[in-house]
Amino acid sequence: NGGQWVNEAFPGLVRESYGADIYYFFNHRKYSQGAAYSFSKLQKRSAGSMIAGLTISHQNVGLDFAKLPAGMEVELPDDRTVYRFKYNDYCFLLGYGYNWVFKPNWLFNISVLPSIGYKHCFRDNIDGYDDIFSVNIKGKMGLVHNHKKFFYGMCLKLDGHWYKSSNYSFFNSVESMSLIVGYRFDIF
C-alpha cells in the first residue's frame, strides 16, 4: 500500500509463550536485581554484575494470512497463507546488569541477557520436526525512586525469540511496561 500504516484487526494470530529462568549474579554482594524489579532491597551505591543462567521457554506462534482484509493477500511473498512456529528453547544465558544510583534514593537499572542453545521444533512447525540452533535475548530497564517507606517504579521488559532455519527467519517478542507504587512494611 505504498508504505502506509494499516490499522486493521487481524484475527489470524495465535500466540502462546511461557518459560522459566534461573540466574546467578556474580557480584551479588554489591549488586541487587531486586532493588530495581521486586523492590525487596535498597541499593545505595552504583554497582554491576555479570549474570549467568539457564532459560527454558515454549513458543507457539500461528499466522493465518487467509484472514487478512481483502486485497492485502497480494503483498504475501508466496502462495502459503498459514505459518506456524512452534518450538521449545533450552538455552544458556550470559549477560550483564548495572544499577546506577544517580541521586540519593534514585536507581536506574539496565540488564541485557543474550542466550544461545538448542531449539526443539514440533511436528506441526513450519519446517516440521527438527532441532536447530537457538539465539534469543532478554532485556530489562527499570527506574525506581524510594521515599521513606514508599517506592515508585517503572519497568520495561523484552523477551525476544529468533527462529532461524534454512527456509525462514522469524523474530517474535513479548514487551511489557509496568508502573508500580508500593509501601514497605516492617515485619519485626
Side-chain angles (χ1 to χ4, degrees):
N1 69 4
Q4 297 175 7
W5 287 97
V6 175
N7 186 8
E8 291 280 339
F10 179 53
L13 174 66
V14 174
R15 175 95 165 73
E16 178 182 83
S17 176
Y18 53 86
D21 304 329
I22 186 167
Y23 302 109
Y24 179 77
F25 301 96
F26 288 90
N27 190 14
H28 58 85
R29 294 186 192 274
K30 295 182 181 177
Y31 172 81
S32 172
Q33 188 96 355
Y37 300 107
S38 65
F39 315 102
S40 59
K41 297 193 177 188
L42 296 174
Q43 177 115 21
K44 297 192 178 199
R45 290 190 175 170
S46 298
S49 178
M50 288 294 296
I51 304 167
L54 299 172
T55 181
I56 298 171
S57 66
H58 173 78
Q59 302 295 312
N60 182 7
V61 180
L63 303 163
D64 183 356
F65 290 122
K67 295 182 180 178
L68 284 171
M72 292 186 76
E73 65 278 351
V74 297
E75 301 294 329
L76 294 174
D78 56 30
D79 292 338
R80 172 173 239 150
T81 59
V82 177
Y83 294 81
R84 162 90 20 125
F85 300 93
K86 186 175 180 183
Y87 54 87
N88 289 340
D89 283 325
Y90 307 93
C91 296
F92 175 71
L93 296 160
L94 183 63
Y96 193 79
Y98 189 77
N99 282 342
W100 176 35
V101 180
F102 58 93
K103 289 177 94 175
N105 300 321
W106 282 94
L107 172 83
F108 175 76
N109 173 277
I110 189 159
S111 299
V112 178
L113 298 160
S115 65
I116 59 170
Y118 163 77
K119 186 179 301 294
H120 171 74
C121 302
F122 290 85
R123 292 193 195 288
D124 56 345
N125 186 59
I126 195 159
D127 286 321
Y129 184 75
D130 200 4
D131 296 326
I132 57 178
F133 186 67
S134 178
V135 177
N136 302 314
I137 189 160
K138 292 180 183 284
K140 295 180 185 182
M141 190 167 32
L143 179 66
V144 178
H145 179 254
N146 294 291
H147 179 72
K148 297 181 181 174
K149 294 194 178 230
F150 285 95
F151 57 86
Y152 312 90
M154 179 181 74
C155 172
L156 303 169
K157 293 182 182 180
L158 167 104
D159 186 7
H161 297 266
W162 185 30
Y163 179 93
K164 174 76 171 114
S165 70
S166 58
N167 299 318
Y168 298 96
S169 180
F170 177 73
F171 184 81
N172 74 72
S173 63
V174 175
E175 302 91 16
S176 65
M177 180 178 129
S178 303
L179 299 173
I180 299 111
V181 175
Y183 182 84
R184 287 185 190 88
F185 293 94
D186 288 330
I187 296 174
F188 298 102

